[in-house]
Amino acid sequence: MDITTFTSNKKFWIWGISLLAVLAALATLPQWLGSYYVILLKDILMLVLITVSWVIFSGPTGYMSLASAAFFGVGVYTSALLLPMTGAVLPLLLVIVIAGLVSFILGLLAGALTLRLKGIYFAVFTFGLVLLIQRFLLWFEMNITHTRGRFVLLVEDNTIFYVMLAIFVATLLTAYFIRRSKFGLALQSIGLNEEAAAHSGVNVTRVKVITFAISAVFMGAAGAIYATKLTYIDPYIAFNPLFSFLPVLMAIFGGLGSFYGPIIGAALFSYLQEFLKTEFPFQYMIIFGLLLMAVIVFMPRGLVGLVQRLLASLKEGPEEKSTPGWAIIFCLFGILGGLVGWFIFRERRGARVLLKAGGVVTLIGGAAYLLMFLLTLLGGLGGGYF
Amino acid sequence: MSKKILIIFSVIVLLVGGLFVACDEEDDDVNGNGEPPVTKDEIIFGGSRPITGGNAIWEEVGFGPLYRLWISEVNAAGGLYIAEYGTSLPIVYEGYIYDDTSDIGTMTRQLERLMTVDEVDFVLSPASTASLFAGAPIFSKYEYVMLCAEGGATSIEDQLYALPYFFGVLNYSNRYQLPVFADLCLELGIDEVAMIWIQDLHGIEYAGVAATEFANAGIEVLMSKSVPPDVSDVSLLLLEAQASGADALCMFAYPDQNFLIIGTMIGMGINFDAILVGPGGNISALPGIFGPNIEGLMFEGAWNCNSTPGAQAFCDLFDSVYPPGTGDWWGHILYWGGVQFFEQAIVEAGTLDNTVIRDVMATSTFDTVLGPTWFDMFGDGGGLLAIECHAGEIGQWQNMVPEVIDPPNQYGEKRTADPWYPKPDWPTE
Amino acid sequence: MLKVSKVNTFYDKAQALWDVSLNIDEAEIVALIGANGAGKTTLLNTISGLLRPASGSIEFMGQRIDGLPPHNIVDMGLSHIPEGRRLFTDMSVHENLEMGAYPSRAWKGRQETLERVYQSFPMLKERAGQLARTLSGGEQQMLAMGRGLMPKPKLCMFDEPSFGLAPMLVLEVFQVIQSLREQGITILLIEQNVRRTLEIADRAYVLENGRIVLEGSCKQLLQEDLVKKAYLGL
Amino acid sequence: METVLNVAVAGLLLGGIFALISVGLSLQYGVARVLNVAHGEFIMIGAFVTWVLYTEFGINPLLCMVIVGPAIFVIGFILYRTMFNYIRIKAPSPDAFEGNSILAAFGLLFVIQYIALTLWGSNIHGYTYLAFPIHLGTVTIAANRLVTLGFAVGISFVFYIFLARTRLGKAIRSAAQDPATASLMGVNIKRVLAICFGLGALMAGIAGVLLSMTYPVNANMGLHYTIIAIIVVVLGGMGSIVGSFIGGFILGIVGSIVSYFDPGLALVAYYAIFILLLLVRPKGIMGK
């Protein structure tokens, strides 16, 4: 589909306008939300935009890139170099643009180097890139510049938020148009069958490398602005491998099949993490781990796949084979209820008990997943599945 | 499996969930509705602490056990008397300790939350040097006292002038461990050293300060090599250090690497006349790991149960609560002194207003487990615990007990035992 | 011996087999013919347990086998020589044959079976130590057939054994299949080479779009217009 | 000359450790198709259990292998037979299974780490065992490292023979190449894949036992080993025991040579080799 034909599409305008409305609402949030929520929202926006940029390349092509942390880290480090605490060399916005460019170039280089690699080799190579840059930079700083970490200029929270929002919008638009353009089609044909795509006239190399680099731009820019909140940066902090895995996890959590899946997935996932780290700091790991496993077992196509399945079963009547679908709905309600309860009552003193109760519902939701899993196991024993 | 079971089960889930919410709503009406209470009935401490991740060890054996011990002691005594409210208030921290998963981004976010959403009365310091740096501006911005525990501050000293709420209690490289170690070397006749340091802020600070101090003392550094945190093999480094003929080996790394180095030295039979172990040499789990091999090992930051008049009482208290192997012979007495100082400052201020308490802390001297305790202030900015108050800088394991072996200097006489030199050979099995 | 009744099989939501029923008696050669995509391979996969039928039943030697995993079915003496040979290319010829005798029923006597297979396919013995990938197409087919015989089957299902082979070799394949019947092995055969198949088979089923449209003895079928037009090009 | 010898010996000892931690992952990924990012956590569990058994009950660490190995095998077997098998059956394609199983393994990583943290805390532990030098000419080797190397070579050899010669070994190899056809041969594919995953876990557990004799033990130690194992497995060719073995030693020796000049560059060197090799042989040393 061509962009021009698409912009004349009615659906485009409906979506466009509702997106604008959401963005406008987001833009006014700092006016009436406390600084913590602004920061939290900023971080969620960041994770969503990193996930979406990851999906730009890895979604249609099926190449699992773990280079996100490298692109992100390059952005963070660009900030560390160009925005030192003692007198910034360049204005903030310029630094962010430069960070994006540096990431772009790194994306081009990495893309060109990895052309021959497929599947897990590509994944491991891209992950290696993260550690390689981290270690080399570290060695360089230790032995050549003798730097004891770098201090970054602190930027005001609302500024960070708006910059992040701007990058977020840019990412969404880019992702959307790539998906809808000839370019996106070419990417998808690469994902389906690379040889066939090459035969049908797609310049596979160019499309792959350029898309990889484009997806890097936004991660770099996001890293640059993220750095201004950290104060202190060294290569370990900048190139945190977590940022390689998070986008993959979040995208699969949301569901790779659609455009909005990864967005919803990333938003919920990052919020859930924050929720668990603060409300259940001592059980965070086990709840999170079980939840991940349950999600994969019961929702192999992510949240979106689950919703689609539920919608389909509502339309066509319940499927003949019993799936734990209903249990999942209730569990999700539990989790949602817990989250809503937390969000509303968080600011009231003395409401902690209630919050815990919301958490308990969440816990039960998680336990229900598990129990359903066990029941499925037992039920499947005779059926030959197990 | 029949759908019936699923539906029944789900209904149960919903009912139980609803029940919980309904039950607690009543509680909420009693406590939470209406105007915020005029009188306070508790003092809330919050914190963003590394419960999981790479720094989790510090929550477990660093400041973690101490703030819990201190709070339970305060509460057992009826709480803190706050003049403003005219009554003693207990301290609450359950539910306000968050897991930063050893990630700085998360830590800074959680600090903002504690200070702006939860509006807790006091916020505990995060752990690790990098976290202190990232957290300090936030504490200053929201005017919360930052009683810094696990983490050095060499790099941040210049910036302390702009961070008025920063109160560091830990001793570290240039305050005043390595100058003391250099003096010790002169006393013992060590004139050639080898250094292994970690590629990290900690390592580069210690290696840098050590280079300066050794140069000033006329001690030659024969080898100075850095290792990455996930180093898998140090045997070649040790052979090189041995071949250099150095009298002393200094390891400025974290417990993971230090233990690997010690283990490899024992395994290969490589010994030096003096061995200085960075963080890890001080933890009381060490005798359990290396047994009699620890005899003669030196470590940074030191105290023992006899090093101050109050130390024995603190040792007894700690041992009555925590299992053996969870103590820390570097920071614990300093953290304890720190919280005792903080406690007295709060009571003296008579309010929970951090700005007032900060001024009290900046100007007062209180008696703590460390003796008379005060902070050296950096202009109108933050402060660091006065060197005179440190319990010791360099320790040595002697007869399975940590001893302070600092040579006397202008900050006082802290030695609890004479140093063993040269270090005895590794005992053979 | 094998009785398939009203089997329906799906790929995800797409139905591939519709109420397929067929019958095979002991020591028969039964052919299954049909165009590409008619569902022949799907039917074989359903019988051998690689696919599960959504409904219907399959009986082998009087026992229900639908829903059983493949390894149980082969254990009962139903061997499936899959389309495209599917050899273990990184294992030697000998090891491939040994894998054929994996069911515990066949494992013990594998040396004897091996000798018999080597007699039928002497060239496999010469190449026993070679990796399967180094064999030529014809040799690979012989290996696949030999491997299919290793579990001492009572019923063998061949999925296009002559595919991609030179005419000479095709002839050999058919000879082998005929000789198997003489050893008392029942055969279900899928072949593109319809004329020759109908010559050696006793009965045949014609499959179109996942449904059985014709069945009968081969002589009868050779007279049917549908068969003549669609499969014999007459 | 002596330096060269020392570097070579250090490289061999390190290579043995790398090979040891990789062989199990090679089975898990090469055959059972699970890129088990929780592999290092099984190593950690093996190390912790050994530490407990040795310090609390005085059980010889080498004997612990016999206790830890089978126990972890059972855990791995059950995990695959239930969770991963379920994911495998539900996945629309093998690629989807690979992606989903990584995620599930991530969940597993969190769960195992939580269990370890709850049981043993985040403190660093360790013990000294066989910590005395053995002098071979001019070279000095720590006894526990030599034992580790010996076991690494021995266990890899046994594994190689097991896969090459035994009925189950052949079933595993056939399942690695073509699970559907293997099942037509009568291989119970669910069981074999679960056995493979279990064996991978067992190898991790045994590696943990041996590593605990030289390395400190704590709840966060796992990921580091997982990363090295993944590099080695990809370097050696997936599913190839010999490949992992060779890959481990190459990495160990290169690591030692580079460490001799600057330990900080060891990991950089690993990746340099890794990239070079993938450019020359995109499927690894023993890959096909």
Side-chain angles (χ1 to χ4, degrees):
Chain A
M1 207 182 296
D2 205 47
I3 292 177
T4 45
T5 57
F6 196 79
T7 45
S8 59
N9 192 329
K10 206 170 151 194
K11 215 174 153 193
F12 172 83
W13 290 110
I14 295 174
W15 277 104
I17 288 169
S18 36
L19 186 72
L20 269 182
V22 170
L23 289 177
L26 276 179
T28 57
L29 279 185
Q31 306 308 317
W32 43 282
L33 271 188
S35 69
Y36 163 66
Y37 292 109
V38 173
I39 295 163
L40 179 62
L41 208 60
K42 172 227 29 159
D43 285 345
I44 291 177
L45 283 181
M46 182 184 79
L47 288 171
V48 173
L49 87 84
I50 291 176
T51 308
V52 171
S53 346
W54 179 83
V55 172
I56 291 180
F57 176 74
S58 295
T61 59
Y63 280 79
M64 192 169 100
S65 160
L66 292 178
S68 316
F71 299 142
F72 182 77
V74 162
V76 173
Y77 226 78
T78 309
S79 256
L81 290 176
L82 298 179
L83 286 178
M85 191 172 261
T86 49
V89 185
L90 295 168
L92 177 69
L93 289 180
L94 190 62
V95 171
I96 288 163
V97 172
I98 292 173
L101 275 179
V102 175
S103 271
F104 182 79
I105 293 164
L106 179 68
L108 281 182
L109 282 175
L113 254 176
T114 50
L115 279 179
R116 288 183 52 176
L117 303 177
K118 281 182 186 152
I120 190 70
Y121 297 97
F122 181 80
V124 176
F125 174 87
T126 45
F127 185 64
L129 192 70
V130 178
L131 297 185
L132 186 69
I133 299 177
Q134 181 201 62
R135 289 313 159 85
F136 183 75
L137 211 56
L138 190 70
W139 180 85
F140 190 81
E141 297 275 47
M142 294 285 137
N143 293 287
I144 312 296
T145 61
H146 299 288
T147 312
R148 305 170 170 187
R150 291 173 182 275
F151 291 88
V152 185
L153 186 74
L154 281 178
V155 176
E156 210 258 318
D157 290 341
N158 284 357
T159 314
I160 301 181
F161 175 79
Y162 285 118
V163 172
M164 198 62 94
L165 189 64
I167 304 171
F168 176 74
V169 173
T171 316
L172 283 194
L173 288 179
T174 313
Y176 189 78
F177 282 116
I178 285 187
R179 197 180 157 88
R180 291 292 174 183
S181 69
K182 252 161 103 179
F183 213 70
L185 221 58
L187 278 173
Q188 252 159 12
S189 66
I190 291 174
L192 289 173
N193 186 335
E194 202 161 328
E195 280 85 37
H199 282 304
S200 61
V202 176
N203 188 339
V204 172
T205 312
R206 211 185 58 181
V207 170
K208 264 164 53 182
V209 173
I210 289 183
T211 321
F212 196 49
I214 288 177
S215 77
V217 171
F218 305 105
M219 300 189 198
I225 187 70
Y226 181 71
T228 58
K229 182 73 191 164
L230 292 187
T231 315
Y232 168 80
I233 282 162
D234 64 28
Y236 286 115
I237 294 168
F239 295 87
N240 184 347
L242 197 67
F243 284 103
S244 279
F245 292 109
L246 276 181
V248 189
L249 295 177
M250 291 179 175
I252 298 179
F253 182 72
L256 274 167
S258 64
F259 181 69
Y260 52 90
I263 301 178
I264 297 170
L268 253 177
F269 191 98
S270 42
Y271 188 65
L272 190 70
Q273 264 203 318
E274 176 79 0
F275 174 75
L276 291 177
K277 281 179 196 171
T278 50
E279 291 307 295
F280 297 96
F282 295 95
Q283 296 82 29
Y284 152 71
M285 287 193 105
I286 188 142
I287 298 177
F288 189 66
L290 288 178
L291 218 62
L292 262 183
M293 281 152 77
V295 163
I296 289 308
V297 168
F298 294 117
M299 310 163 20
R301 284 164 209 218
L303 284 174
V304 169
L306 179 78
V307 171
Q308 280 167 353
R309 209 170 79 196
L310 294 176
L311 286 180
S313 72
L314 281 181
K315 256 187 214 160
E316 297 168 12
E319 274 182 55
E320 167 231 355
K321 222 178 217 172
S322 61
T323 49
W326 289 106
I328 294 174
I329 301 182
F330 282 116
C331 299
L332 280 183
F333 269 124
I335 293 172
L336 209 71
L339 291 180
V340 168
W342 180 73
F343 200 79
I344 295 174
F345 295 105
R346 196 67 191 87
E347 287 178 82
R348 276 212 257 147
R349 272 292 172 86
R352 287 202 68 90
V353 192
L354 187 61
L355 312 176
K356 286 287 169 191
V360 170
V361 179
T362 317
L363 262 180
I364 293 172
Y369 274 120
L370 253 183
L371 211 85
M372 288 337 301
F373 176 49
L374 291 175
L375 283 178
T376 321
L377 287 192
L378 289 173
L381 275 175
Y385 268 120
F386 288 94
Chain B
M1 175 177 29
S2 78
K3 220 163 56 199
K4 245 183 213 165
I5 300 177
L6 283 171
I7 292 171
I8 292 170
F9 181 78
S10 313
V11 169
I12 293 172
V13 167
L14 202 71
L15 283 179
V16 172
L19 213 67
F20 267 102
V21 175
C23 285
D24 286 315
E25 211 150 18
E26 287 170 34
D27 271 359
D28 183 60
D29 283 340
V30 175
N31 293 333
N33 273 6
E35 292 300 302
V38 190
T39 54
K40 275 186 76 74
D41 37 40
E42 58 197 19
I43 302 171
I44 298 177
F45 270 71
S48 173
R49 299 282 303 169
I51 293 164
T52 60
N55 297 332
I57 183 173
W58 304 124
E59 170 65 10
E60 184 166 324
V61 300
F63 191 37
L66 275 198
Y67 72 73
R68 287 191 288 268
L69 180 63
W70 171 64
I71 289 173
S72 72
E73 284 294 301
V74 168
N75 287 344
L80 289 183
Y81 181 79
I82 308 296
E84 188 183 348
Y85 302 100
T87 175
S88 285
L89 301 178
I91 300 179
V92 169
Y93 66 95
E94 291 93 350
Y96 292 92
I97 302 295
Y98 300 151
D99 181 10
D100 70 10
T101 63
S102 305
D103 172 62
I104 292 195
T106 308
M107 189 274 297
T108 52
R109 200 165 58 229
Q110 289 176 347
L111 286 183
E112 298 258 0
R113 174 177 162 150
L114 286 166
M115 294 170 189
T116 65
V117 179
D118 300 333
E119 291 175 333
V120 298
D121 300 308
F122 300 103
V123 177
L124 296 163
S125 153
S128 95
T129 306
S131 290
L132 294 190
F133 293 179
I138 299 175
F139 277 85
S140 282
K141 178 176 164 194
Y142 294 106
E143 298 181 331
Y144 273 86
V145 170
M146 185 183 194
L147 189 74
C148 301
E150 310 97 324
T154 310
S155 299
I156 211 175
E157 277 179 18
D158 302 338
Q159 290 163 35
L160 280 188
Y161 294 96
L163 295 169
Y165 288 85
F166 190 103
F167 290 88
V169 297
L170 197 63
N171 52 354
Y172 47 87
S173 57
N174 61 342
R175 270 178 86 87
Y176 193 67
Q177 292 173 349
L178 293 177
V180 167
F181 185 67
D183 290 347
L184 187 67
C185 287
L186 291 180
E187 179 189 328
L188 299 175
I190 297 168
D191 47 20
E192 289 169 332
V193 298
M195 302 197 290
I196 299 176
W197 46 280
I198 190 164
Q199 291 177 340
D200 172 291
L201 185 68
H202 171 82
I204 201 159
E205 276 196 10
Y206 271 77
V209 174
T212 319
E213 291 299 330
F214 288 149
N216 290 344
I219 298 164
E220 200 179 344
V221 177
L222 298 178
M223 181 185 108
S224 171
K225 284 229 167 160
S226 62
V227 294
D230 51 9
V231 63
S232 315
D233 179 34
V234 289
S235 61
L236 291 173
L237 274 181
L238 291 174
L239 286 172
E240 190 184 338
Q242 190 185 33
S244 74
D247 302 319
L249 176 73
C250 307
M251 0 179 156
F252 303 125
Y254 293 126
D256 283 301
Q257 302 81 33
N258 288 338
F259 289 3
L260 176 64
I261 298 173
I262 297 172
T264 310
M265 279 204 279
I266 299 170
M268 297 185 69
I270 295 174
N271 200 9
F272 293 86
D273 290 341
I275 297 174
L276 178 67
V277 188
N282 54 298
I283 65 176
S284 55
L286 202 71
I289 298 176
F290 293 110
N293 290 295
I294 62 169
E295 293 293 4
L297 286 181
M298 296 179 188
F299 56 94
E300 299 154 358
W303 65 281
N304 75 4
C305 299
N306 305 317
S307 55
T308 68
Q312 188 59 50
F314 170 56
C315 283
D316 294 342
L317 176 65
F318 189 88
D319 290 343
S320 68
V321 178
Y322 292 107
T326 43
D328 166 7
W329 300 111
W330 175 356
H332 268 178
I333 198 166
L334 298 171
Y335 307 149
W336 193 248
V339 289
Q340 285 184 330
F341 183 91
F342 192 40
E343 176 186 334
Q344 294 174 67
I346 294 171
V347 174
E348 167 103 6
T351 168
L352 298 180
D353 185 341
N354 276 257
T355 53
V356 180
I357 295 165
R358 184 256 157 207
D359 291 338
V360 173
M361 288 175 74
T363 51
S364 312
T365 299
F366 294 110
D367 250 344
T368 73
V369 68
L370 300 168
T373 306
W374 70 98
F375 282 87
D376 287 342
M377 301 308 291
F378 286 62
D380 293 332
L384 295 171
L385 188 70
I387 297 172
E388 289 86 342
C389 309
H390 294 175
E393 311 291 351
I394 301 294
Q396 185 176 41
W397 288 94
Q398 297 180 358
N399 302 318
M400 306 303 274
V401 170
E403 299 284 357
V404 180
I405 54 167
D406 294 14
N409 56 24
Q410 75 263 38
Y411 299 108
E413 161 78 59
K414 289 161 188 169
R415 178 172 282 184
T416 58
D418 285 330
W420 288 0
Y421 187 84
K423 175 192 170 300
D425 272 337
W426 305 110
T428 46
E429 273 184 65
Chain C
M1 177 168 230
L2 180 74
K3 194 173 164 205
V4 177
S5 333
K6 301 221 165 189
V7 159
N8 288 289
T9 303
F10 290 81
Y11 283 114
D12 264 335
K13 299 227 157 142
Q15 189 159 4
L17 293 180
W18 305 73
D19 283 337
V20 170
S21 299
L22 62 77
N23 242 321
I24 300 173
D25 291 329
E26 192 124 8
E28 256 193 323
I29 296 185
V30 172
L32 197 58
I33 53 183
N36 278 335
K40 293 169 297 181
T41 300
T42 309
L43 179 55
L44 255 54
N45 285 348
T46 309
I47 295 172
S48 65
L50 287 175
L51 293 172
R52 281 160 70 96
S55 65
S57 74
I58 304 170
E59 275 179 32
F60 178 63
M61 314 233 332
Q63 272 182 292
R64 283 282 292 262
I65 58 167
D66 50 291
L68 288 185
H71 62 95
N72 287 354
I73 294 174
V74 66
D75 216 14
M76 296 166 73
L78 199 163
S79 173
H80 177 186
I81 291 98
E83 190 182 13
R85 307 193 263 272
R86 306 286 285 266
L87 296 174
F88 302 119
T89 50
D90 292 337
M91 294 167 92
S92 70
V93 169
H94 179 81
E95 282 177 324
N96 266 281
L97 291 172
E98 268 193 332
M99 277 314 295
Y102 189 82
S104 35
R105 191 175 46 80
W107 185 256
K108 273 182 196 158
R110 67 185 186 284
Q111 283 307 330
E112 289 165 41
T113 331
L114 198 63
E115 284 310 315
R116 270 224 300 278
V117 170
Y118 279 152
Q119 268 169 20
S120 313
F121 308 99
M123 136 275 145
L124 289 184
K125 190 167 189 177
E126 288 165 31
R127 306 211 186 281
Q130 279 186 5
L131 285 188
R133 67 165 76 217
T134 61
L135 301 183
S136 70
E139 290 166 339
Q140 290 197 349
Q141 186 57 53
M142 297 303 159
L143 178 54
M145 292 176 78
R147 191 180 63 176
L149 295 174
M150 287 300 290
K152 294 198 206 157
K154 300 187 180 74
L155 174 85
C156 258
M157 304 194 294
F158 290 95
D159 198 342
E160 304 209 3
S162 73
F163 183 77
L165 295 185
M168 275 293 291
L169 291 167
V170 174
L171 212 64
E172 214 180 312
V173 166
F174 277 94
Q175 275 168 5
V176 170
I177 291 173
Q178 267 181 310
S179 77
L180 289 180
R181 191 240 299 262
E182 280 150 28
Q183 294 169 26
I185 297 174
T186 314
I187 283 156
L188 176 59
L189 178 63
I190 295 182
E191 256 299 331
Q192 288 294 325
N193 197 331
V194 175
R195 184 183 297 272
R196 190 158 276 144
T197 308
L198 292 181
E199 276 167 18
I200 66 161
D202 303 309
R203 291 190 301 119
Y205 290 82
V206 179
L207 206 57
E208 265 181 19
N209 295 326
R211 292 184 172 85
I212 302 269
V213 291
L214 266 182
E215 58 171 292
S217 75
C218 293
K219 275 180 200 152
Q220 280 173 339
L221 286 181
L222 279 167
Q223 304 308 316
E224 289 279 347
D225 283 348
L226 177 83
V227 176
K228 277 187 190 170
K229 264 190 209 154
Y231 304 107
L232 300 175
L234 292 175
Chain D
M1 186 58 214
E2 198 187 317
T3 314
V4 174
L5 207 61
N6 279 331
V7 171
V9 167
L12 275 179
L13 293 172
L14 192 60
I17 289 171
F18 286 176
L20 190 68
I21 58 177
S22 314
V23 170
L25 189 71
S26 181
L27 267 181
Q28 289 181 332
Y29 187 64
V31 184
R33 291 281 145 203
V34 176
L35 185 60
N36 182 14
V37 287
H39 184 70
E41 310 312 309
F42 287 99
I43 297 180
M44 180 258 290
I45 293 289
F48 256 119
V49 172
T50 312
W51 168 71
V52 170
L53 289 179
Y54 183 61
T55 52
E56 299 281 321
F57 304 101
I59 298 174
N60 183 321
L62 294 176
L63 199 67
C64 286
M65 265 188 261
V66 189
I67 303 165
V68 172
I72 292 194
F73 172 82
V74 171
I75 294 172
F77 183 88
I78 293 174
L79 269 175
Y80 196 91
R81 191 63 191 263
T82 52
M83 183 174 73
F84 287 110
N85 198 40
Y86 186 87
I87 298 171
R88 186 175 68 90
I89 288 166
K90 292 282 169 189
S93 70
D95 284 345
F97 170 59
E98 257 177 50
N100 285 350
S101 65
I102 293 180
L103 231 72
F106 241 103
L108 195 61
L109 183 154
F110 274 83
V111 172
I112 299 180
Q113 232 183 59
Y114 172 79
I115 293 170
L117 275 174
T118 327
L119 286 179
W120 300 301
S122 50
N123 204 347
I124 294 194
H125 303 283
Y127 59 90
T128 34
Y129 180 72
L130 291 180
F132 54 84
I134 293 176
H135 301 282
L136 300 169
T138 56
V139 181
T140 309
I141 301 175
N144 45 25
R145 290 212 158 213
L146 198 63
V147 169
T148 308
L149 177 68
F151 272 96
V153 174
I155 291 170
S156 303
F157 184 70
V158 169
F159 247 75
Y160 177 74
I161 296 293
F162 163 73
L163 286 182
R165 296 287 162 82
T166 63
R167 178 168 177 239
L168 186 59
K170 281 171 188 164
I172 289 173
R173 280 160 63 213
S174 70
Q177 289 177 46
D178 186 343
T181 311
S183 71
L184 285 181
M185 299 296 115
V187 175
N188 183 345
I189 214 72
K190 280 171 229 158
R191 200 173 69 198
V192 163
L193 295 185
I195 287 176
C196 265
F197 194 82
L199 284 176
L202 174 139
M203 286 299 297
I206 289 182
V209 172
L210 290 167
L211 287 180
S212 68
M213 302 194 308
T214 9
Y215 292 92
V217 179
N218 74 64
N220 289 312
M221 68 192 274
L223 197 61
H224 163 57
Y225 294 116
T226 308
I227 290 175
I228 289 183
I230 291 177
I231 299 175
V232 171
V233 167
V234 174
L235 193 69
M238 258 111 47
S240 165
I241 301 291
V242 182
S244 299
F245 195 70
I246 297 175
F249 278 99
I250 290 182
L251 223 59
I253 290 169
V254 170
S256 279
I257 294 172
V258 175
S259 294
Y260 174 72
F261 296 103
D262 192 335
L265 288 175
L267 210 117
V268 175
Y270 296 165
Y271 278 101
I273 304 172
F274 182 69
I275 291 163
L276 281 179
L277 192 107
L278 284 188
L279 291 178
V280 182
R281 274 190 73 97
K283 292 238 152 174
I285 297 170
M286 300 299 281
K288 275 128 193 169

